[in-house]
Amino acid sequence: MIKQSKKSLRQLIKSSFFRLTVAVSVTFTIVAVGLIDFTEIQLFIPHLQHDFQQLIHIYSEQPGSIVREYEDSVFYRVDDNHMGEMPDYLSDLDVGHHEVFHNNNAYHIMVKEDSQYRYLFEINQSDFELMELSIIGFIIIAMFISWGVALLVSRHLSKKILDPIQLLSEKIRNLDKEMDHYQLRNDFADDEVGRLAQYFDEYNQKINTLLMREKMFTSDVSHELRTPLMVISSTCELLLTQHPNETQVLKIQSACFEMKNLVSIFLALARNEGIDSKLNTAEFVLKEQFKKFHSMAQQKGLLLSLKINALSERQYSEEFLTIVVSNLIRNAINYTAKGEIKLVLNDDGFTIHDTGPGIPEAIENSVFAPFVRGQTNHSNGMGLGLSIVKRICEKKGWQVSLSTKEKRGTSISINF
């Protein structure tokens, strides 16, 4: 799974550019300081050792202790009896090279010994050390300045990069039905963003074509279905004038009215449109659907019961609520092999319990998706019932919740 960042793309670009600048500048500073030290070790120290060796050789013929001061250096050659002639800060140094700071001065000191004398060569490098510190300070200041420049440049860079993308997103968001044929590519240069706009234009054109086909299909289907339904309805009315109490004709007429309502509702769902709907109470709809499905449940050996815990005068769209209740009851009957199905009406909604096999854990989270159905020999259909219920509940602002346990049944609640 891809972890989504809470930062905006603009912030990510600024942060990435600034971090890159910090990493490069810190690396450069470390390398520069290291090169200064390396140069000092490789060039200055060998030169100092050479001068030290030359002085030892020059004064090798002269007896006794020697202290020679030059412009910026001092040479010492002392024996054990004349150690006091050296300054205190030099007396405890071991053989080798040392860098000593004394009285705000910096000294490079070479120390050597033999069986008779102790040799020291002291060079005052205060000016060189000051210059070295100045260079390092300048490099560090330049590093901090580069950070400030990086902040300004990253702001400008992110604006230059993201402004076309932001413009594209705003134009996409503001597209409406009257701009189906508007070409976004005309507003952008021939670059990556321009090509993205071109791809969106092509994709938008495909979507509009598919939507037009869907709209024509739903219109054709609704038109072609209404014509035979009108014939059936008018025929039923004619038969009822001759045989007013004919039960079968009344059933056909009732089914015809239901099919008319279904065509109108499904057409409204497909087009995301509203319809003028008849209002009624939830109690009325549940009682009507209870009567409708009671014989179906009995034929399968199931007990269908209706329990009304609370009465409410609030009214809802009868057509939409009828489809929701009928789909849930039909689903429960199809998936329940034995036992009972309970319809429970509460003040804020209703619940349908069954004693079926429950919903497998593998499809529990996707059971409201189209064409998802449980694997059982007692079921039929295409797996659209719960999907239709979910779509109607979303359209009407109702809440649907599901509770299930395998082999212990399922409960589906609708909260108004």
Side-chain angles (χ1 to χ4, degrees):
M1 179 181 291
I2 298 176
K3 185 177 179 180
Q4 295 184 348
S5 175
K6 294 182 179 179
K7 292 184 178 181
S8 67
L9 186 58
R10 188 182 299 272
Q11 289 175 323
L12 287 173
I13 291 176
K14 290 181 181 178
S15 175
S16 300
F17 187 83
F18 181 74
R19 289 178 181 179
L20 177 62
T21 303
V22 170
V24 172
S25 61
V26 169
T27 303
F28 175 79
T29 300
I30 294 173
V31 170
V33 173
L35 283 175
I36 292 174
D37 290 336
F38 177 79
T39 302
E40 182 178 3
I41 293 172
Q42 295 297 317
L43 297 180
F44 179 73
I45 301 304
H47 179 72
L48 179 62
Q49 290 175 340
H50 178 267
D51 291 345
F52 186 28
Q53 202 63 36
Q54 286 289 102
L55 289 172
I56 293 175
H57 178 72
I58 290 173
Y59 294 107
S60 60
E61 300 297 330
Q62 297 184 18
S65 298
I66 298 174
V67 178
R68 293 287 186 272
E69 294 186 10
Y70 300 95
E71 182 178 355
D72 56 357
S73 61
V74 181
F75 174 74
Y76 297 92
R77 189 186 71 181
V78 294
D79 54 23
D80 292 339
N81 297 324
H82 297 84
M83 286 291 183
E85 296 182 10
M86 290 191 304
D88 294 337
Y89 66 91
L90 300 178
S91 58
D92 297 328
L93 296 179
D94 296 328
V95 173
H97 169 256
H98 301 275
E99 194 169 355
V100 177
F101 294 90
H102 180 69
N103 290 337
N104 297 323
N105 290 318
Y107 300 96
H108 281 279
I109 300 171
M110 302 295 296
V111 181
K112 192 174 182 180
E113 288 183 346
D114 58 22
S115 58
Q116 188 176 3
Y117 296 107
R118 180 178 177 85
Y119 306 92
L120 286 92
F121 185 40
E122 176 188 70
I123 297 181
N124 189 336
Q125 292 293 314
S126 300
D127 293 339
F128 178 81
E129 292 293 335
L130 182 61
M131 182 180 66
E132 188 179 68
L133 291 175
S134 299
I135 293 173
I136 294 174
F138 175 77
I139 294 174
I140 293 174
I141 292 173
M143 179 184 69
F144 286 110
I145 292 175
S146 69
W147 294 2
V149 172
L151 286 175
L152 297 176
V153 172
S154 64
R155 188 173 303 174
H156 173 75
L157 185 63
S158 64
K159 178 178 176 62
K160 190 174 183 63
I161 293 174
L162 293 180
D163 277 358
I165 299 177
Q166 187 173 358
L167 177 62
L168 177 61
S169 65
E170 290 176 357
K171 285 185 175 294
I172 292 175
R173 186 180 60 221
N174 294 329
L175 284 177
D176 53 28
K177 295 180 180 179
E178 298 178 357
M179 299 177 66
D180 289 342
H181 302 288
Y182 183 77
Q183 298 293 313
L184 292 174
R185 73 186 77 177
N186 298 331
D187 297 332
F188 298 92
D190 186 17
D191 54 12
E192 286 79 3
V193 179
R195 285 191 287 275
L196 181 61
Q198 178 182 348
Y199 299 150
F200 179 83
D201 287 338
E202 295 171 357
Y203 189 70
N204 190 40
Q205 185 177 359
K206 293 179 182 178
I207 291 177
N208 289 329
T209 302
L210 292 174
L211 288 175
M212 182 59 66
R213 290 178 182 174
E214 184 270 340
K215 187 179 295 185
M216 293 175 63
F217 172 77
T218 53
S219 298
D220 293 342
V221 168
S222 63
H223 178 269
E224 295 302 322
L225 284 177
R226 283 189 175 112
T227 301
L229 287 174
M230 288 178 62
V231 174
I232 296 172
S233 178
S234 59
T235 304
C236 288
E237 291 177 1
L238 181 60
L239 289 173
L240 287 173
T241 57
Q242 300 173 2
H243 307 282
N245 298 320
E246 184 64 40
T247 304
Q248 300 300 325
V249 177
L250 290 173
K251 286 184 178 180
I252 294 173
Q253 187 182 47
S254 175
C256 184
F257 287 147
E258 185 177 351
M259 287 183 67
K260 285 182 179 180
N261 290 332
L262 287 174
V263 169
S264 299
I265 288 175
F266 290 141
L267 185 62
L269 285 176
R271 294 181 175 180
N272 197 25
E273 298 174 349
I275 62 171
D276 295 329
S277 179
K278 180 181 177 182
L279 299 178
N280 219 320
T281 62
E283 178 191 3
F284 174 83
V285 174
L286 283 173
K287 284 183 176 179
E288 289 296 311
Q289 296 304 304
F290 174 78
K291 295 176 185 177
K292 176 181 175 181
F293 286 98
H294 189 266
S295 60
M296 183 187 296
Q298 281 186 329
Q299 291 174 4
K300 199 174 179 181
L302 301 173
L303 175 63
L304 181 64
S305 63
L306 173 62
K307 182 179 181 181
I308 300 177
N309 290 331
L311 293 176
S312 175
E313 296 300 322
R314 288 181 293 181
Q315 294 187 331
Y316 310 94
S317 170
E318 183 178 332
E319 290 87 347
F320 282 104
L321 188 55
T322 297
I323 294 178
V324 170
V325 176
S326 64
N327 271 285
L328 292 178
I329 296 177
R330 187 183 297 109
N331 220 45
I333 293 174
N334 286 337
Y335 281 86
T336 303
K338 60 181 180 178
E340 61 179 334
I341 299 169
K342 297 180 181 179
L343 312 181
V344 181
L345 177 63
N346 300 309
D347 180 59
D348 56 351
F350 66 91
T351 302
I352 297 180
H353 307 271
D354 66 53
T355 56
I359 297 174
E361 185 178 353
I363 65 170
E364 184 176 344
N365 294 329
S366 59
V367 71
F368 289 103
F371 308 109
V372 175
R373 54 194 296 270
Q375 301 297 323
T376 172
N377 295 329
H378 303 286
S379 65
N380 52 53
M382 299 179 63
L384 291 173
L386 291 182
S387 172
I388 293 172
V389 169
K390 182 70 172 178
R391 290 171 62 192
I392 290 177
C393 288
E394 289 177 349
K395 185 176 183 65
K396 305 302 293 185
W398 303 336
Q399 293 180 348
V400 55
S401 57
L402 179 145
S403 175
T404 183
K405 292 184 179 179
E406 287 199 55
K407 301 181 180 180
R408 297 184 60 181
T410 302
S411 298
I412 296 182
S413 299
I414 304 298
N415 191 303
F416 299 127

